[in-house]
Structures are given as C-alpha cells and as structure tokens.
Amino acid sequence: QVQLVESGGGLVQAGDSRRLACAASASGRTFSSYALGWFRQAPGKEREFVAAISWSGGNTYYADSMKGRFTGSRDNAKNTVYLQMNSLKPEDTAVYYCAATRQPLYYNSGYYSRDWYDYWGQGTQVTVSS
C-alpha cells in the first residue's frame, strides 16, 4: 500500500504559477510500482480528472482543459509526484488530490476515472484570486 500527502496549495493571484507535491510512503511495493493521478474538486462540483503519470513517468495524460497549462511529473528517487500549474485562473480554485494505482497507465486505459485508483491523499487547497 501507499500513503499520500499533498502539499503546495495556498492563495495565489490569477496568472501565477504553483507547483503541488505529493509525497508517498510505500509499503510492500516501491513507489515506482504505482501510477499516479491528480484530481481536483471545486465546491459543489464533482471530483474531476486533472492528470495521470505512469509508473516510470514516461507517459502523462491530461484533461483537455489542463493541456498546455498543467504538467505532471514524478521523481521516484524522492517518492514524490508533482503538478506544475501555470497561468492559473479563478476557475482552477479547488482542492487538489493525488491518487495511486497499481494498474498501468496508457492511452484510454481508464486513468481519468476516480474508480481507477486505490489510494488517495487528503488534498491541498488551491485558491486563485482574480
């Protein structure tokens, strides 16, 4: 299993950049054995897919609304996955969650569904002011 803790959220201005981090503690399997996903949930909204990163970090996938602005990456040596967010907009305001799965990630494998993941962090709040 793996335990996940997000960090890096806070209050930012529209147009700013922010990098979120998700630190992982794995037992039974190494961190590199898990694919990682990022989701977000705004008040009153459903939790939506943001990005996914494969075991090796070689494959990344994004929701259409995130492409070109958000970049997911991972550093297996540091047991950490990142979400670089650029050109932030007020509509990006949400709680951001990282999640882990033992399933492999490839195009259209189901990584965009929250049901695909086995473990979740507690989330970190990102608030973007206009």
Side-chain angles (χ1 to χ4, degrees):
Q1 62 179 25
V2 59
Q3 296 177 333
L4 307 170
V5 180
E6 301 93 338
S7 64
L11 178 63
V12 299
Q13 296 290 322
D16 284 355
S17 297
R18 195 82 166 187
R19 188 177 75 164
L20 306 182
C22 176
S25 298
S27 61
R29 296 184 182 275
T30 62
F31 178 67
S32 62
S33 297
Y34 297 87
L36 278 300
W38 284 98
F39 288 75
R40 70 183 185 184
Q41 187 167 19
K45 301 294 182 66
E46 294 290 323
R47 190 170 300 187
E48 65 175 340
F49 171 72
V50 175
I53 305 94
S54 64
W55 296 338
S56 66
N59 294 328
T60 56
Y61 305 99
Y62 303 93
D64 288 342
S65 61
M66 318 300 173
K67 292 179 180 177
R69 295 196 301 123
F70 289 10
T71 303
S73 63
R74 65 190 295 167
D75 187 338
N76 289 342
K78 297 181 178 180
N79 286 1
T80 303
V81 63
Y82 303 96
L83 182 68
Q84 178 67 45
M85 306 183 295
N86 298 326
S87 301
L88 284 165
K89 306 173 182 179
E91 53 262 42
D92 294 319
T93 295
V95 177
Y96 285 73
Y97 300 88
C98 64
T101 179
R102 282 280 295 124
Q103 301 191 73
L105 293 183
Y106 51 88
Y107 183 72
N108 204 32
S109 66
Y111 50 81
Y112 47 82
S113 173
R114 60 188 180 186
D115 294 332
W116 198 246
Y117 300 87
D118 303 305
Y119 306 97
W120 293 84
Q122 294 301 304
T124 185
Q125 175 73 46
V126 176
T127 302
V128 185
S129 63
S130 60

